[in-house]
């Protein structure tokens, strides 16, 4: 499976006339190496990989992950420690060792690019982040199967949270039940903060849990996203605590009908804008256009 993913990227390199790819986005590093990174805001820039046009893969990792990565990932024959200081020279050494000169990258800060060009005389760096994303957008059969499994973990978290949602509990208590259920299904963690927000917080789109107590008659939004074997799925649902009022029923029905309209508009050849407009039309016709989230961002989430 990993070799198939690497092969997709070697096709991209040949098409673009590249000798190698230098990948820094953690999802692309994982795609090419199967590395399971530390899920932490502090480790976002701790991993890189270099893939050559001939299919060689080099993993650059932090010292704390080096030993277990060597043990659990024997398929990576060339694994190196990457430090915060002197990183450009360490990456340049990989380029020299594999004799690559025309290199595409997915993400690289301005100062990092200058440092790398200074340490690697004669190389040509080309931004191909969008093209890597386009290549990855077409999923392999194995990826589709993993996404289906990943969705089950996220759905379990939503169902557990709904079961725990009742008057008197705090938002973070509901979130805890959701995360527990996902972890029991094999999720590595949450790919964003568990959005569990009720009452006034739903109007403000707080988008994370708080210590607010959930009360009867309030709307409750659950937006959960989990990581399962490197694949992230996101499910958001809205419910009412207790018996809904007529106004809440009207809002809910309009939203549901807009969803059905979007599904009907989804067919080969349709643009995402057309699907968005089909959903938005229903919301506007029902009189909720002024309150629609579509005014500030697109309705759709993509895969």
């Amino acid at each position: 499976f990993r070799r198939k993913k690497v092969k997709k990227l070697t096709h991209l390199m040949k098409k673009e006339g590249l000798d190698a790819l230098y990948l820094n986005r953690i999802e692309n590093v994982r795609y090419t190496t199967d590395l399971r990174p530390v899920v932490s805001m502090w480790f976002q820039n701790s991993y890189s990989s270099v893939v050559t046009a001939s299919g060689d893969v080099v993993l650059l990792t932090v010292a704390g992950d080096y030993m277990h990565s060597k043990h659990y990932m024997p398929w990576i024959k060339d694994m190196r420690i990457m430090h915060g200081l002197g990183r450009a020279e360490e990456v340049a050494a990989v380029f020299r060792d594999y004799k690559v000169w025309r290199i595409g990258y997915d993400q690289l800060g301005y100062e990092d690019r200058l440092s790398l060009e200074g340490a690697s005389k004669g190389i040509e760096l080309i931004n191909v982040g969008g093209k890597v994303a386009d290549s990855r957008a077409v999923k392999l059969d194995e990826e589709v199967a993993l996404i289906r499994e990943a969705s089950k973990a996220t759905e379990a978290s939503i169902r557990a949270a709904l079961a725990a949602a009742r008057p008197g509990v705090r938002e973070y208590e509901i979130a805890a039940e959701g995360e527990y259920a996902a972890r029991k299904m094999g999720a590595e963690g949450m790919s964003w903060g568990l959005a569990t927000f009720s009452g006034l917080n739903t109007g403000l789109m707080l988008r994370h849990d708080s210590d607010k107590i959930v009360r009867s008659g309030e709307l409750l939004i659950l937006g959960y996203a989990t990581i399962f074997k490197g694949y992230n799925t996101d499910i958001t649902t809205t419910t009412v605590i207790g018996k809904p009022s007529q106004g809440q029923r009207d809002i809910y029905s309009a939203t549901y009908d807009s969803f059905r309209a979007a599904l009907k508009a989804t067919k080969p050849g349709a643009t995402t804008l057309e699907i968005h407009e089909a959903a938005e039309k229903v919301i506007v016709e029902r009189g909720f256009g002024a309150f629609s989230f579509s005014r500030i961002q697109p309705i759709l989430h993509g895969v």
Side-chain angles (χ1 to χ4, degrees), residues 7-291:
K7 189 174 181 180
K8 283 184 69 174
L9 294 182
T10 60
H11 286 321
L12 171 64
M13 284 182 263
K14 289 172 183 175
K15 181 181 177 182
E16 299 296 323
L18 301 172
D19 299 323
L21 287 174
Y22 173 43
L23 303 172
N24 293 298
R25 292 184 65 92
I26 191 59
E27 62 269 26
N28 292 332
V29 176
R30 185 163 193 175
Y31 189 78
T32 53
T33 66
D34 284 346
L35 169 78
R36 176 175 168 176
V38 175
V39 180
S40 166
M41 69 177 70
W42 311 114
F43 281 77
Q44 290 300 306
N45 301 311
S46 300
Y47 312 97
S48 298
S49 66
V50 176
V51 182
T52 71
S54 58
D56 300 303
V57 179
V58 182
L59 173 63
L60 297 159
T61 184
V62 290
D65 289 338
Y66 179 75
M67 290 303 294
H68 77 253
S69 296
K70 288 284 285 185
H71 179 75
Y72 288 110
M73 300 168 60
W75 54 87
I76 302 296
K77 304 303 180 185
D78 190 349
M79 190 179 299
R80 310 185 187 193
I81 295 174
M82 182 171 61
H83 300 88
L85 295 175
R87 179 175 297 187
E89 178 53 41
E90 291 167 347
V91 175
V94 176
F95 297 162
R96 290 193 296 270
D97 291 345
Y98 287 86
K99 297 179 172 58
V100 293
W101 304 102
R102 196 165 191 268
I103 302 150
Y105 65 88
D106 59 349
Q107 178 176 283
L108 194 59
Y110 178 69
E111 291 183 355
D112 291 333
R113 175 169 178 150
L114 289 181
S115 299
L116 190 53
E117 288 174 334
S120 308
K121 299 298 183 183
I123 65 165
E124 183 181 2
L125 292 171
I126 302 152
N127 186 346
V128 293
K131 291 175 180 177
V132 170
D134 286 343
S135 176
R136 290 195 51 200
V138 180
K139 304 301 182 188
L140 298 166
D141 290 343
E142 293 90 339
E143 290 182 279
V144 174
L146 276 175
I147 291 169
R148 290 187 188 280
E149 290 301 307
S151 297
K152 292 177 183 178
T154 303
E155 184 174 345
S157 72
I158 288 284
R159 290 190 181 279
L162 286 171
R166 58 187 181 274
V169 300
R170 297 185 184 275
E171 291 176 352
Y172 64 69
E173 293 177 299
I174 298 171
E177 294 296 330
E179 182 166 4
Y180 178 59
R183 295 302 300 268
K184 285 178 67 177
M185 291 283 290
E188 300 167 19
M190 315 312 288
S191 60
W192 73 317
L194 288 159
T196 308
F197 48 115
S198 60
L200 177 64
N201 290 342
T202 62
L204 299 174
M205 284 295 287
L206 192 60
R207 291 160 66 85
H208 58 72
D209 60 85
S210 74
D211 61 356
K212 179 188 172 300
I213 294 173
V214 174
R215 305 189 186 284
S216 183
E218 291 183 331
L219 286 166
L220 172 70
I221 298 178
L222 306 172
Y224 290 4
T226 70
I227 309 169
F228 183 91
K229 295 185 179 178
Y231 287 81
N232 301 271
T233 55
D234 173 12
I235 297 175
T236 299
T237 192
T238 304
T239 190
V240 177
I241 302 299
K243 185 178 180 179
S245 66
Q246 187 57 52
Q248 289 170 332
R249 288 179 182 275
D250 292 342
I251 294 170
Y252 201 97
S253 296
T255 305
Y256 180 76
D257 290 344
S258 72
F259 167 65
R260 299 291 297 177
L263 278 183
K264 187 176 180 180
T266 303
K267 52 192 173 185
T271 66
T272 53
L273 177 60
E274 289 168 343
I275 300 168
H276 168 100
E277 289 175 341
E280 187 173 41
K281 183 173 183 289
V282 174
I283 294 170
V284 171
E285 288 176 347
R286 298 293 181 86
F288 298 112
F291 312 105

